[in-house]
Amino acid sequence: AGARVAIMYGAHRRPIYDDGATAIADALVAHGSVTDLKLWDNRISDRGAAALARALSYATSLCSLTLYGNRIADAGVIALSDALAANRSLTNLGLSANQFSHLGAAAIGGALCANQTLRELHLAYNAIGDDGALALAKCFASNGALLELGLW
């Protein structure tokens, strides 16, 4: 069986909220053959991000998770970071254009110290500031896997 990709764009039609993200997370756990999950421009917030984070422990085929343009704040990013620290399959994580601060960036930085699988990380258009950038930079000495960090 080849790679399975799930792409769900919210935009202005029928966006996915936290209940939808939780259902998708449950499906990932039950039928973990999706390799690339894109949930762009939806209305997923911390609760939905936490559900997806829990699924990362079980969805060992998932290589790419893109959550651009949602409403994920620090609590959701912290949950994702906790999962990322132990995850060994994800190579690409996209969290650009959400609503987290330097606190979320610091959690991601901590996860990157433990994770040696992630190759690309996109965090642009969030309010991470200098403190968040410094927290991310701390992991670079111990993380040889990360090849691309998008903060534009």
Side-chain angles (χ1 to χ4, degrees), residues 74 100-106 123-137 149 151-152:
D74 291 322
F100 61 93
S101 72
H102 67 281
L103 299 174
L123 305 176
Y125 305 110
N126 287 291
I128 68 168
D130 288 343
D131 289 342
L134 289 169
L136 289 166
L149 175 61
L151 298 174
W152 62 93

Side-chain angles (χ1 to χ4, degrees), residues 44-139:
I44 300 166
S45 66
D46 291 341
R47 188 168 58 88
L52 291 166
R54 286 188 299 276
L56 284 179
S57 300
Y58 302 97
T60 57
S61 65
L62 189 65
C63 297
S64 180
L65 176 60
T66 308
L67 297 169
Y68 296 160
N70 281 284
R71 297 176 176 179
I72 303 168
D74 291 322
V77 173
I78 290 168
L80 287 166
S81 298
D82 290 346
L84 180 62
N87 183 279
R88 299 294 173 255
S89 63
L90 208 62
T91 59
N92 184 334
L93 178 60
L95 293 171
S96 293
N98 275 283
Q99 300 174 353
F100 61 93
S101 72
H102 67 281
L103 299 174
I108 292 170
L112 289 176
C113 290
N115 181 293
Q116 295 295 314
T117 313
L118 198 69
R119 302 283 184 259
E120 293 182 34
L121 176 62
H122 300 277
L123 305 176
Y125 305 110
N126 287 291
I128 68 168
D130 288 343
D131 289 342
L134 289 169
L136 289 166
K138 287 181 183 177
C139 77

Side-chain angles (χ1 to χ4, degrees), residues 31-57:
H31 314 286
S33 61
V34 172
T35 59
D36 188 355
L37 179 60
K38 297 179 185 339
L39 298 172
W40 294 344
D41 293 326
N42 284 286
R43 304 250 169 80
I44 300 166
S45 66
D46 291 341
R47 188 168 58 88
L52 291 166
R54 286 188 299 276
L56 284 179
S57 300

